[in-house]
Amino acid sequence: MKIIPGPASIELAERIAKNLSLPIVKYSYKYFYDNETYLRVDETVKNETILIIQSTHFPQEKHWLELFILCSTLKDLGASEVISIIPYLSYARADKRKIEGEALSHQILIELLGKSGCDCVITMNVHNPEAFYSSSKGIEKININLFHHIGAELKSEYKNFIVVGPDKGAEEDVRTLAKLLETDYLLFEKERDALTNEVKMKTPDYNFENKDVLLVDDIITSGGTAKLASKLILEKKPRTLQFLCIHALSKDEVYLELKNMGVEKIISTNTIPNKQIKQLDIAPYIAKYIKEKFL
Ligand code: R5P
């Protein structure tokens, strides 16, 4: 087995390769003047299993296209198996039609990934695991819940915190994390207008005064959910409030706004690289999974 660090995830891929003591395949890529991608695999991959690590955050279309080109080229050059690790799988929220006529982009991309030669896709905390697993039959699919792994790492620091999920959809993650931290959790109720994207939230009757609170979500994008939940918690005078998520997709000003509101610390994993916030390294967990399943 050899590793290819996709252009979107070079640092993470190098860490995974190091954790597994696996060689990295030499390849070259550049962007032409008109921004088209040039790619060349510089060594033989014949009869090899290749692990590509490529997240698909902004610019999403470019990262997806790089992944398709890599998978297809590797298969064309004789690789026996291509496994794509996509730490953050974008478009996963376009998994169902809320309005008639909407594109099911999530299903389309998984289908295209299989067609491009990828045999197996491994992702982390995909938005809707059910939609992910029931998408294209032509490719093996694996979703890893990173809350199981980071929970153990955070235990000593957060065991006296109350864990809060901003909506019912966060229940499984929040319950998992609270159990690993040996603490309690509670959930807010959230409603989002499909057209305006406006978020409304209801809080349960709970006394936050002098509590240390860990607000937890799978993903932060516009920051609307995290900001509203933080505002509601901070109004109830907790001792401290921190925010934890798996995929940090927001622009830097969103993290700054949260900090200015009084959120003491913002933590995510490094599924999407970001130097502005504290990031937990997922390379050891991915490496462990690969070792157990494939090596
Ligand atoms: C929603 O179902 C997700 O779990 C997140 O709460 C949501 O996607 C976060 O998005 P935003 O930061 O735009 O509110």
Side-chain angles (χ1 to χ4, degrees):
M1 183 179 273
K2 290 182 175 175
I3 291 196
I4 287 211
S9 302
I10 291 179
E11 257 186 48
L12 178 62
E14 285 173 354
R15 284 211 200 98
I16 295 170
K18 202 167 166 202
N19 269 277
L20 288 167
S21 307
L22 285 179
I24 285 183
V25 176
K26 289 193 186 66
Y27 77 106
S28 314
Y29 71 94
K30 65 179 179 187
Y31 303 115
F32 288 112
Y33 180 77
D34 58 2
N35 218 21
E36 284 182 9
T37 302
Y38 169 85
L39 199 140
R40 187 183 67 230
V41 178
D42 293 322
E43 62 181 84
T44 178
V45 289
K46 211 166 170 51
N47 301 323
E48 296 278 1
T49 294
I50 307 290
L51 211 60
I52 305 171
I53 324 288
Q54 169 85 339
S55 223
T56 56
H57 50 284
F58 180 82
Q60 291 88 337
E61 289 76 13
K62 194 159 191 61
H63 290 151
W64 272 105
L65 188 67
E66 287 164 349
L67 186 56
F68 295 143
I69 293 175
L70 270 170
C71 291
S72 187
T73 307
L74 290 164
K75 268 295 172 67
D76 201 33
L77 294 173
S80 55
E81 193 181 18
V82 174
I83 302 165
S84 300
I85 299 188
I86 310 182
Y88 169 65
L89 194 131
S90 58
Y91 283 97
R93 283 171 286 185
D95 61 326
K96 50 172 136 11
R97 289 203 170 99
K98 292 179 202 109
I99 299 170
E100 189 49 35
E102 284 183 334
L104 299 175
S105 304
H106 173 60
Q107 285 84 337
I108 295 169
L109 286 166
I110 303 297
E111 181 82 34
L112 288 175
L113 194 59
K115 291 211 163 119
S116 74
C118 179
D119 300 286
C120 173
V121 52
I122 303 174
T123 191
M124 282 100 227
N125 296 79
V126 70
H127 172 66
N128 178 353
E130 214 181 312
F132 173 64
Y133 282 116
S134 63
S135 63
S136 174
K137 301 279 168 274
I139 181 167
E140 189 186 354
K141 295 167 287 284
I142 295 162
N143 175 46
I144 299 175
N145 186 344
L146 289 171
F147 282 114
H148 286 282
H149 301 281
I150 61 175
E153 185 177 336
L154 298 173
K155 190 173 163 186
S156 56
E157 205 177 327
Y158 291 93
K159 72 173 177 196
N160 294 319
F161 279 61
I162 171 88
V163 178
V164 175
D167 54 44
K168 293 251 151 69
E171 178 153 19
E172 201 193 319
D173 292 339
V174 167
R175 195 187 329 113
T176 300
L177 190 66
K179 193 169 171 205
L180 290 163
L181 300 179
E182 293 172 8
T183 188
D184 295 326
Y185 74 90
L186 53 94
L187 293 168
F188 289 2
E189 273 177 49
K190 181 177 90 177
E191 258 179 53
R192 188 190 289 269
D193 187 300
L195 287 175
T196 63
N197 220 19
E198 197 200 338
V199 176
K200 286 188 188 145
M201 215 172 263
K202 265 206 286 186
T203 60
D205 190 22
Y206 180 81
N207 184 6
F208 281 96
E209 250 181 66
N210 293 323
K211 296 277 184 351
D212 292 310
V213 184
L214 184 62
L215 176 64
V216 174
D217 209 350
D218 56 344
I219 183 167
I220 178 167
T221 313
S222 68
T225 305
K227 279 189 266 181
L228 184 53
S230 298
K231 179 175 168 283
L232 296 173
I233 295 168
L234 289 163
E235 279 169 4
K236 297 190 176 187
K237 307 260 178 292
R239 199 156 71 93
T240 61
L241 170 62
Q242 298 193 23
F243 175 72
L244 166 74
C245 66
I246 300 295
H247 308 298
L249 273 173
S250 300
K251 296 192 178 123
D252 290 343
E253 53 260 36
V254 171
Y255 307 123
L256 198 64
E257 249 181 279
L258 281 168
K259 284 194 176 152
N260 288 341
M261 283 172 69
V263 180
E264 203 171 81
K265 206 192 263 181
I266 298 162
I267 312 149
S268 79
T269 71
N270 57 351
T271 55
I272 301 165
N274 186 318
K275 301 262 181 262
Q276 305 305 315
I277 54 177
K278 179 180 165 60
Q279 293 209 299
L280 307 168
D281 184 19
I282 60 168
Y285 313 132
I286 299 184
K288 186 169 178 278
Y289 185 86
I290 298 296
K291 202 173 194 166
E292 283 166 9
K293 178 158 171 81
F294 298 101
L295 297 175

